[in-house]
Amino acid sequence: MALSAFLVGVAPASAAGNEDFKAFNMWFDVTSLSNTNECIPSWVTARYRDPVSGSDTWTRLVRTNNNGCETDPEHLQKFGDFQNTWSKVNLLGGPKPGQHLYWKDLTSLTLTVITPNTPPGRQKCVSVNRFGIWAQDTNNYWHELFNEQVEHIFCDGFNDFEMFVKH
C-alpha cells in the first residue's frame, strides 16, 4: 500500500528563478519570554542583488493586512504576538507597492525585534529556537526559503537575526 501527500499551492521543487514574490510569511517559535508587552516592534528587511546596478540593496517589507498594533506599515507585529512563551509568531509582509523581489536576486531576510527597557535600564528579552520563511509568488505558489532550528535571543542590542535564503 502506498501513501501519498499532496500540498496545495506549493510550487514544485526547482532552482531559484524568476519567481516574483508578492508576500512573505516569516514564522518563529518563542521559547522564552521576559516581556509582557502587547506590542513589540518587529520588522523584516530583505537584502537582494539589484538587477540594474549589481550591488546589494536593502528594503523593509510592509504589512499586508490591517492587523498591526501600531500605524507604521513596516512594523509587522500584531497585538499579543509576544504574550506567551512556547508560542509561534507569524509575521506577514510583502514588497512595497510597485517593487519586485525576485527569488534569484534575494540574498537574505533579517528579522529585527526591538525589546523594550521596562523599567528603563532593565532589558526585556525574547528567545527563539526555530525560524522559517515562506514566500508566495505572483502565480500564488508558496516557496520555502528558510527553515532551521537555531537558538537566538533578541536582547541587549542583539536585535537582528539574518536568515540566508536557500536557492
Side-chain angles (χ1 to χ4, degrees):
M1 174 186 277
L3 295 175
S4 313
F6 296 96
L7 297 173
V8 176
V10 176
S14 64
N18 289 321
E19 290 85 354
D20 184 7
F21 293 134
K22 66 178 184 177
F24 293 85
N25 178 16
M26 177 176 290
W27 60 267
F28 49 97
D29 293 335
V30 176
T31 56
S32 177
L33 188 63
S34 64
N35 198 315
T36 57
N37 289 357
E38 285 187 357
C39 188
I40 296 177
S42 306
W43 60 85
V44 176
T45 305
R47 180 168 57 141
Y48 62 97
R49 178 82 47 194
D50 183 274
V52 176
S53 69
S55 62
D56 276 350
T57 306
W58 290 264
T59 186
R60 282 193 185 168
L61 301 180
V62 294
R63 198 168 42 237
T64 57
N65 57 39
N66 294 323
N67 294 334
C69 58
E70 58 182 79
T71 58
D72 187 338
E74 292 181 347
H75 289 188
L76 307 178
Q77 75 282 353
K78 304 180 299 298
F79 281 109
D81 272 351
F82 297 95
Q83 287 291 301
N84 299 307
T85 297
W86 304 113
S87 63
K88 184 180 295 271
V89 174
N90 285 288
L91 300 179
L92 303 175
K96 292 178 174 84
Q99 184 178 40
H100 297 278
L101 293 175
Y102 295 100
W103 192 356
K104 66 182 172 95
D105 299 327
L106 197 58
T107 306
S108 67
L109 290 151
T110 299
L111 171 63
T112 302
V113 177
I114 299 299
T115 53
N117 289 323
T118 40
R122 186 169 175 208
Q123 182 75 37
K124 298 296 187 178
C125 303
V126 175
S127 176
V128 174
N129 76 344
R130 186 164 200 87
F131 296 85
I133 305 168
W134 283 80
Q136 186 181 31
D137 65 30
T138 54
N139 292 318
N140 293 324
Y141 288 114
W142 285 93
H143 305 265
E144 185 174 52
L145 306 182
F146 187 89
N147 184 351
E148 290 187 15
Q149 186 163 349
V150 58
E151 183 79 22
H152 184 78
I153 299 172
F154 296 94
C155 191
D156 296 327
F158 296 97
N159 299 94
D160 298 321
F161 182 72
E162 187 171 21
M163 290 158 277
F164 292 93
V165 172
K166 307 292 184 200
H167 286 115

